[in-house]
Amino acid sequence: MATEMESASDMNDAGTQLLEEEKRPTVLPLETAKKAKPAGAEQEDGATEKLVSNEKINSNKDASEVKFLSADSQNGDAKIDIENLKLAFTGMTKEELMKFANDPFWIRLRWLLFVLFWLLWVAMLAGAIAIIVMAPKCAPPAPLKWWEEGPLYEIYVRSYKDGGVDQDGIGDLKGVTSEVKYVDELDSTGIILSSILKSDNQDPDAVESFTEVDPIYGSLEDFKELLSAVKNRSLHLVLNFIPNHTSKKHPWFIASENGSDIYSDYYVWAPSKGQNDDGEIPPNNWVSVNGGSAWEWSSKRGMFYLHQFDKDEPDLNMRNPKVVAEIKKVLQFWLELGVSGFQLEKVEFLLEDEELKNETPLPVPSDATHLDWDFYTHLHTTNLPGIVDILTQWKEVITSYGDDRILMVKGNASKNALHQYAKNNGTDLVDLVQPTETFTLLKEGFTADDLNDIVKKVLDSSNTGNTGRPVWQLSGGHSERIATRVSREAVDGLTMLVMLLPGTPITLYGDELAIEGASNVSMPWNNSSQTGSSQAPSAGDTGSISFDTIASSQLTDRSHLNLYKDLVKQRESPSIMYGSCDTSVINGTVFVMTRIKSGNPGILVAFNPSSNNVTVNLNSIDNISEELTVQLQSSNFVHDTVRLKSKIDTDEVPLPAKAALVLSFVPKLTS
């Protein structure tokens, strides 16, 4: 028995030695080991099965493995060992780790990987930035100039306010200065000041000096104070004057009529064609705007001088470079004082045909005679090509004082000539062209179609590049005010259009109150002192002043004045500043305008100029939504259910007679 145990012990020792030498024990699953059991090893089975059974019982122990230790080559006996193994990872020692950490190769490799990582990261960042910067995107709209952003406020000084100590009833510079705050509260961006140049009091267009203030309005110091007040409120001041002619009392004309060598050619002179029973015969058939011959005989010089307006307003000779240079000096004088630009009138008359050719009668017969302005085509006395060259020289002087200086032209300057200049030079010669005939053509009883025709004509002309930015004005020139021409009830609807159409609105002082009368009617500041300029026509004569004084309008929620202020704020909408514009007439009675800029609420103006109450369906309007929000109402808008900020259905919009609404909506843009 001892021998057998020794023999078994020897075999186990041999198996253990073999296992250590090979370092890789042969490990077989239990089932495989059973199959590989040598013949005659039944004696071991019991022990093995018992161990397997124990393994099953002790389920919380590690997995069992079978180690094939040795085999008896003679009798095929084999010994197996089943043990519990704990799976664990045996890492390197600290010494081994430090060996690799300090190895120069691994140090270099780590630094290389570190540098490559950050280079890759920076490259990815640079690529992302490049994609963002270089990717095509919608160009932002060009920033607007001050004369494009807000309305301009046009003041006729003589009728605005008397600010003098003597209170003579004549508006003056001190009066304007005292109410700069009021203009600022209207959110205007600039003031257009009527000519304050020294002139014949009976004829303010007959300028006696281009660089002096007429004493009736104050002094040059008063003008400087006005400029200071304007600039303190971040406003701009534009000065109006007529460069076409002077007064007969101007030193230039006096010297020219006397035959002075320096000034002899400052005006347009021509010899007589002979004599008849009426005296000297004029050089040609030209007539003045006021009617009658455009030539006046000067016995002192023995020649005719040209006057396309009054005989006391001789035309300057703009073909003489010295005269053009004189006007440059005038511009520089006022720019040095601080004005922001000029509104020049009657520039279409600056040049005449050098050969003094006769004018051709209009082909269509009219009631006019050969002594009337309307009888001729005026191809030889208006809008001659050289006018653009003169304006170019003056514009260069103006812009030399800064890009925020403006050149305006009021009148009927050649649109084609200005368009050609813009086409050739890539910029507008005139910043704002203020035509004399737009809304001034409207009379009482006008229709939605009449309104649409005027708006489309101006917009179409602007879109073809003929006039640059559109200019809108309800009252101006020498016509009656809009409230007199079309009725006070229709003023709010028209004001909505002027403020919200593309372009620059110009408000003649008092139109924000819907005052009536002539264009030079006095401003109604309060009830106790109704005009402030008693020598000018009074708004009180029309019966309107008792309602729309400045004082009363500011206290009334539904007043023309407060609606005007709300409309100016509405102009801040991107759809108004930069959006597209479409107009149409619904059911022959309602004028509709929409302004849309992608990504912003759309704005719609609906105006019923008829004398009937209507309800209209606006679903036919492009990009319109099913629901509209009421933003503003005309002061005469009365309806039981429609209120500010209320919602109304697009297919059922109520509009009382001569009333209007400003509505907002979410545009349904089509691809």
Side-chain angles (χ1 to χ4, degrees):
M1 184 70 177
T3 305
E4 291 179 357
M5 292 180 64
E6 291 175 357
S7 176
S9 176
D10 293 339
M11 290 181 63
N12 286 337
D13 293 342
T16 301
Q17 182 179 0
L18 178 62
L19 182 61
E20 291 178 351
E21 291 176 354
E22 292 178 352
K23 299 294 184 181
R24 299 179 76 179
T26 302
V27 181
L28 297 176
L30 184 57
E31 294 298 325
T32 305
K34 286 182 178 180
K35 293 179 181 179
K37 180 177 67 174
E42 290 83 357
Q43 187 175 351
E44 304 287 340
D45 290 348
T48 302
E49 290 175 358
K50 184 176 180 180
L51 290 173
V52 171
S53 176
N54 290 338
E55 178 63 26
K56 292 179 180 179
I57 294 172
N58 299 313
S59 59
N60 63 329
K61 295 185 177 180
D62 295 336
S64 298
E65 291 182 319
V66 178
K67 296 183 181 179
F68 198 85
L69 301 179
S70 63
D72 188 345
S73 60
Q74 293 181 357
N75 55 18
D77 291 342
K79 287 187 177 291
I80 57 176
D81 183 24
I82 300 174
E83 60 181 8
N84 294 325
L85 302 177
K86 293 184 179 180
L87 301 179
F89 172 76
T90 302
M92 290 184 292
T93 65
K94 179 180 179 181
E95 290 75 10
E96 291 175 319
L97 285 173
M98 293 304 297
K99 177 182 178 182
F100 284 104
N102 296 325
D103 188 293
F105 171 78
W106 294 107
I107 292 175
R108 288 193 298 271
L109 181 59
R110 285 197 303 274
W111 275 108
L112 178 62
L113 293 175
F114 178 80
V115 172
L116 288 176
F117 168 80
W118 284 109
L119 286 176
L120 179 61
W121 187 90
V122 171
M124 293 173 63
L125 178 62
I129 294 174
I131 291 173
I132 294 172
V133 172
M134 299 178 65
K137 57 181 73 69
C138 296
L144 297 178
K145 302 285 189 179
W146 60 266
W147 61 82
E148 298 171 326
E149 290 180 341
L152 305 181
Y153 196 71
E154 191 165 23
I155 294 175
Y156 182 52
V157 179
R158 190 183 184 99
S159 300
Y160 194 61
K161 188 173 183 179
D162 181 5
V165 177
D166 54 2
Q167 289 291 295
D168 57 5
I170 298 176
D172 49 35
L173 291 173
K174 286 186 178 295
V176 177
T177 302
S178 69
E179 296 300 339
V180 169
K181 178 183 177 182
Y182 170 74
V183 179
D184 187 29
E185 289 172 346
L186 294 178
D187 284 333
S188 300
T189 58
I191 295 173
I192 303 173
L193 203 65
S194 64
S195 177
I196 56 169
L197 304 180
K198 184 179 180 181
S199 61
D200 185 339
N201 290 335
Q202 303 302 316
D203 184 4
D205 292 344
V207 175
E208 296 179 11
S209 173
F210 285 109
T211 56
E212 293 183 64
V213 173
D214 196 303
I216 197 173
Y217 302 128
S219 65
L220 193 60
E221 289 303 315
D222 293 333
F223 183 76
K224 292 177 181 179
E225 289 180 9
L226 172 59
L227 277 172
S228 178
V230 166
K231 292 182 181 298
N232 285 341
R233 292 188 174 272
S234 299
L235 296 172
H236 296 80
L237 186 67
V238 176
L239 185 61
N240 166 282
F241 76 92
I242 300 171
N244 178 69
H245 51 256
T246 71
S247 166
K248 287 180 64 177
K249 298 178 182 178
H250 196 289
W252 296 346
F253 184 80
I254 295 173
S256 184
E257 190 176 30
N258 289 330
S260 167
D261 290 340
I262 297 176
Y263 296 102
S264 62
D265 201 24
Y266 265 46
Y267 295 83
V268 180
W269 295 93
S272 171
K273 289 182 65 175
Q275 293 181 331
N276 57 21
D277 294 341
D278 295 327
E280 302 295 334
I281 301 175
N284 56 33
N285 67 350
W286 295 355
V287 296
S288 75
V289 174
N290 300 332
S293 176
W295 297 97
E296 184 71 15
W297 177 255
S298 169
S299 57
K300 184 176 292 187
R301 180 158 175 174
M303 298 180 74
F304 281 97
Y305 67 84
L306 177 69
H307 62 89
Q308 296 204 63
F309 294 89
D310 192 89
K311 66 179 182 179
D312 291 329
E313 300 172 359
D315 279 34
L316 287 164
N317 179 18
M318 290 296 172
R319 295 195 181 278
N320 182 349
K322 293 180 181 179
V323 178
V324 177
E326 291 280 11
I327 300 300
K328 286 184 183 180
K329 294 177 183 178
V330 172
L331 300 177
Q332 289 172 333
F333 175 84
W334 295 105
L335 287 167
E336 287 288 343
L337 289 177
V339 301
S340 294
F342 303 91
Q343 180 195 61
L344 303 183
E345 286 195 67
K346 299 173 179 160
V347 298
E348 61 266 37
F349 296 95
L350 289 177
L351 290 176
E352 304 79 26
D353 182 74
E354 287 186 276
E355 298 178 5
L356 306 182
K357 297 175 184 175
N358 282 332
E359 292 284 17
T360 304
L362 288 168
V364 179
S366 66
D367 295 335
T369 70
H370 69 285
L371 293 177
D372 295 326
W373 171 261
D374 295 335
F375 187 78
Y376 299 99
T377 60
H378 304 291
L379 297 178
H380 300 302
T381 52
T382 60
N383 283 315
L384 272 69
I387 292 175
V388 167
D389 297 330
I390 295 173
L391 290 177
T392 300
Q393 296 182 56
W394 294 345
K395 179 65 176 293
E396 289 174 353
V397 173
I398 294 171
T399 55
S400 69
Y401 283 81
D403 293 336
D404 63 340
R405 300 301 195 270
I406 181 176
L407 172 60
M408 297 179 61
V409 166
K410 184 177 183 178
N412 298 310
S414 173
K415 297 177 181 178
N416 291 332
L418 296 177
H419 169 57
Q420 190 62 40
Y421 177 92
K423 182 178 179 180
N424 294 341
N425 296 277
T427 184
D428 290 325
L429 172 60
V430 176
D431 299 298
L432 291 178
V433 178
Q434 191 176 346
T436 56
E437 293 183 349
T438 50
F439 289 117
T440 57
L441 298 174
L442 292 178
K443 306 295 181 183
E444 187 170 4
F446 73 92
T447 66
D449 285 318
D450 295 333
L451 189 57
N452 195 39
D453 289 344
I454 291 174
V455 171
K456 280 188 172 294
K457 181 179 180 180
V458 175
L459 291 179
D460 290 345
S461 178
S462 175
N463 291 335
T464 57
N466 284 343
T467 60
R469 187 172 179 81
V471 176
W472 309 97
Q473 188 169 16
L474 294 176
S475 303
H478 301 288
S479 66
E480 292 180 316
R481 286 180 174 268
I482 190 69
T484 298
R485 285 185 285 110
V486 304
S487 79
R488 286 171 54 84
E489 292 78 15
V491 169
D492 283 353
L494 293 173
T495 304
M496 288 177 176
L497 294 181
V498 166
M499 288 296 172
L500 303 182
L501 276 163
T504 297
I506 297 178
T507 302
L508 180 64
Y509 73 99
D511 270 4
E512 72 276 14
L513 304 170
I515 63 175
E516 301 176 38
S519 59
N520 62 344
V521 69
S522 293
M523 186 72 166
W525 290 106
N526 53 60
N527 288 320
S528 60
S529 177
Q530 292 187 344
T531 66
S533 304
S534 60
Q535 293 190 19
S538 171
D541 295 339
T542 67
S544 65
I545 192 164
S546 61
F547 176 75
D548 265 331
T549 62
I550 300 292
S552 62
S553 291
Q554 290 176 330
L555 298 175
T556 307
D557 291 337
R558 297 290 295 275
S559 69
H560 299 288
L561 178 59
N562 286 330
L563 174 64
Y564 180 93
K565 292 179 178 179
D566 290 338
L567 285 167
V568 177
K569 288 182 171 59
Q570 187 70 60
R571 283 179 57 81
E572 297 174 1
S573 163
S575 290
I576 301 301
M577 287 289 99
Y578 303 103
S580 61
C581 178
D582 289 295
T583 67
S584 59
V585 176
I586 305 297
N587 296 340
T589 58
V590 176
F591 174 88
V592 177
M593 176 188 71
T594 57
R595 302 295 310 279
I596 297 176
K597 186 180 188 304
S598 179
N600 296 274
I603 302 296
L604 182 147
V605 177
F607 176 34
N608 172 23
S610 75
S611 299
N612 302 315
N613 299 337
V614 299
T615 299
V616 294
N617 183 344
L618 301 181
N619 277 328
S620 61
I621 303 298
D622 291 341
N623 305 312
I624 202 71
S625 57
E626 289 79 11
E627 193 175 58
L628 306 168
T629 301
V630 179
Q631 297 295 333
L632 297 172
Q633 301 170 318
S634 59
S635 57
N636 63 337
F637 187 96
V638 179
H639 194 272
D640 293 337
T641 61
V642 177
R643 299 288 185 273
L644 291 178
K645 305 304 178 183
S646 64
K647 305 286 186 181
I648 58 176
D649 293 333
T650 305
D651 59 359
E652 196 172 0
V653 177
L655 284 170
K658 300 187 185 301
L661 289 173
V662 175
L663 307 160
S664 64
F665 61 96
V666 178
K668 290 185 176 180
L669 299 178
T670 57
S671 57

